[in-house]
Amino acid sequence: MPLAVVLFSIIFFFKIPSCFSQLTRLEHQVKDDGSLSLLVVGDWGRRGHFNQTIMGRIGKELDIDFVVSTGDNFYDDGLKGPHDPAFEESFTEVYTADSLQKPWYTILGNHDYRGDAVAQLNPFLRKVDSRWLCLRNFMVDTEIATFFFVDTTPFVDKYYTEESHTYDWRGVSPRKAYLANLLKDLETALRESSSRWKIVVGHHAIRSAGHHGDTEELIQHLLPILKANNVDLYVNGHDHCLEHISSHDSPIQYLTSGAGSKAWRGDTKKYDERVMKFFYDGQGFMSMQLTNANVEVLFHDVLGQVLHRWKVSKDLHSSM
C-alpha cells in the first residue's frame, strides 16, 4: 500500500474528535517544500465511460497529494448498498494510475442521494478501497489551506417536492435543524480557522452559467457566511462543465469542476461577461497548486491540455 494512503488511514482512524458537531476535522500534510497539489473532479461515476482516465498523467506531472470529488459519484441513482459492485466498477477499476492512489476526499451529490446515500459514508468502503473517504460535512486541514466540505443537496427545495425521484434523507432529517446546525458549525469553523487559504467545496454551484445555473438556496443561506469569513474559493460540481466566475462584491472565486464524465449539454446560459472568466461545455477536470503565498488553478480537457489558468497571490506579511 502506498505510504500516502497508509498515512491517510492512520490520520482518519486515530485523529482526535472534532470540536465541531458536524464538521469532522482531518489533517493532510503538505510536501516537504510546503506546497500542495491536487486534482478536482466531479460527476464522474459512469463505470469509466466518457474519457475519465487522463487524470493519471496530470496527477503524476503535478505529484498530487490528494483528489477532491465534488459529488455525483455514482450514476444514475447512487449505490444500492455498501456491497454494490458499482463502487469498484466506477472507482477502483477506473482510477488505476499510480498517481491517483492517494486519498479521495469526497462529498455527496444529488444523484448519490437517489440511492443508498448512507452506503457511501460506510467505513466498509475503505476496506474495499483505502483511498475512499466520503463524509457529509468535514474539514481537511493542510497547514497552508483548509478545505471545508459542505453537503449541499439538503439545501435544494425541489428535491423535497419532485415526484420523479426518491431521495435518501436518512441522517439529514429534520431538514430545518440539520441545515441550521450545519451553517452554525461551518460559520464557527471558518471564523476560527487561521489557515492562509480557505476553500469551500460543495456539490451544487453558487454561481454557474451551466445547465443548472445559480443555486438560489445557497446564495441565500451559504454565501453570506462565505463572504463574512474571507473564503477564497468555492469549488463545486453539478453542472457538467468547467468554469471560473469571479465576484462583484467579494474576493471569492467560483470554480466548477463537474465534467468528470458526461458533458456537452449545449445549453449555456448568458452570464455577466465582467465576472465570467472561463467556460467550457465539455469533459475535463481541474488541478490546483498551493503554496503559502500563491494558489494556481488550471482547467484541463480530456487530453490533459490546459484550457484556462488563473493565479492569485497573498502578501506574506499581511495578517491572516
Side-chain angles (χ1 to χ4, degrees), residues 96-109:
T96 58
D98 289 343
S99 67
L100 303 180
Q101 305 308 303
K102 304 290 177 66
W104 282 56
Y105 297 117
T106 306
I107 53 173
L108 298 173

Side-chain angles (χ1 to χ4, degrees), residues 41-285:
V41 63
D43 304 76
W44 46 266
R46 299 181 189 271
R47 292 176 168 82
H49 298 296
F50 304 99
N51 302 304
Q52 296 181 58
T53 57
I54 197 64
M55 291 202 316
R57 178 171 66 80
I58 303 302
K60 181 178 180 180
E61 291 177 2
L62 299 181
D63 187 20
I64 63 167
D65 298 280
F66 57 83
V67 178
V68 167
S69 171
T70 58
D72 278 1
N73 309 310
F74 302 99
Y75 282 96
D76 281 325
D77 299 315
L79 294 180
K80 296 178 181 178
H83 298 280
D84 190 336
F87 176 77
E88 292 181 86
E89 293 169 356
S90 289
F91 179 55
T92 304
E93 297 171 7
V94 174
Y95 299 103
T96 58
D98 289 343
S99 67
L100 303 180
Q101 305 308 303
K102 304 290 177 66
W104 282 56
Y105 297 117
T106 306
I107 53 173
L108 298 173
N110 55 295
H111 281 268
D112 301 310
Y113 267 95
R114 292 180 185 177
D116 183 345
V118 177
Q120 293 191 46
L121 313 176
N122 194 319
F124 172 77
L125 293 184
R126 288 193 292 279
K127 297 180 180 179
V128 179
D129 193 316
S130 59
R131 295 176 293 173
W132 185 259
L133 192 145
C134 183
L135 300 171
R136 292 194 197 275
N137 305 288
F138 63 108
M139 304 159 54
V140 178
D141 186 353
T142 69
E143 299 178 33
I144 58 173
T146 299
F147 295 76
F148 302 83
F149 291 77
V150 178
D151 182 22
T152 60
T153 300
F155 282 91
V156 181
D157 294 334
K158 70 177 182 179
Y159 300 139
Y160 289 83
T161 58
E162 66 178 37
E163 299 179 354
S164 55
H165 300 287
T166 300
Y167 291 83
D168 181 6
W169 297 124
R170 289 177 296 164
V172 300
S173 296
R175 179 193 184 197
K176 185 176 181 180
Y178 175 80
L179 294 178
N181 288 333
L182 167 56
L183 291 171
K184 179 182 178 181
D185 291 344
L186 176 63
E187 184 173 23
T188 300
L190 286 168
R191 184 177 66 249
E192 295 183 354
S193 172
S194 59
S195 288
R196 188 82 174 163
W197 304 97
K198 297 180 183 181
I199 301 168
V200 175
V201 180
H203 176 64
H204 295 78
I206 293 179
R207 304 292 187 189
S208 174
H211 172 77
H212 296 290
D214 296 353
T215 305
E216 293 301 325
E217 295 90 341
L218 297 185
I219 293 173
Q220 178 182 353
H221 299 291
L222 181 60
L223 184 55
I225 293 174
L226 307 191
K227 288 181 177 179
N229 290 280
N230 302 312
V231 168
D232 299 286
L233 308 176
Y234 178 77
V235 178
N236 63 272
H238 195 47
D239 269 325
H240 297 183
C241 60
L242 304 173
E243 59 186 326
H244 172 199
I245 298 175
S246 63
S247 301
H248 284 307
D249 55 357
S250 79
I252 299 175
Q253 306 294 307
Y254 305 97
L255 306 173
T256 297
S257 182
S261 59
K262 193 174 182 180
W264 307 109
R265 287 186 182 268
D267 58 352
T268 307
K269 294 176 171 57
K270 292 184 179 180
Y271 220 85
D272 189 338
E273 295 181 355
R274 293 172 296 174
V275 296
M276 175 57 71
K277 304 301 181 183
F278 167 73
F279 184 92
Y280 179 65
D281 185 24
Q283 298 152 342
F285 57 97

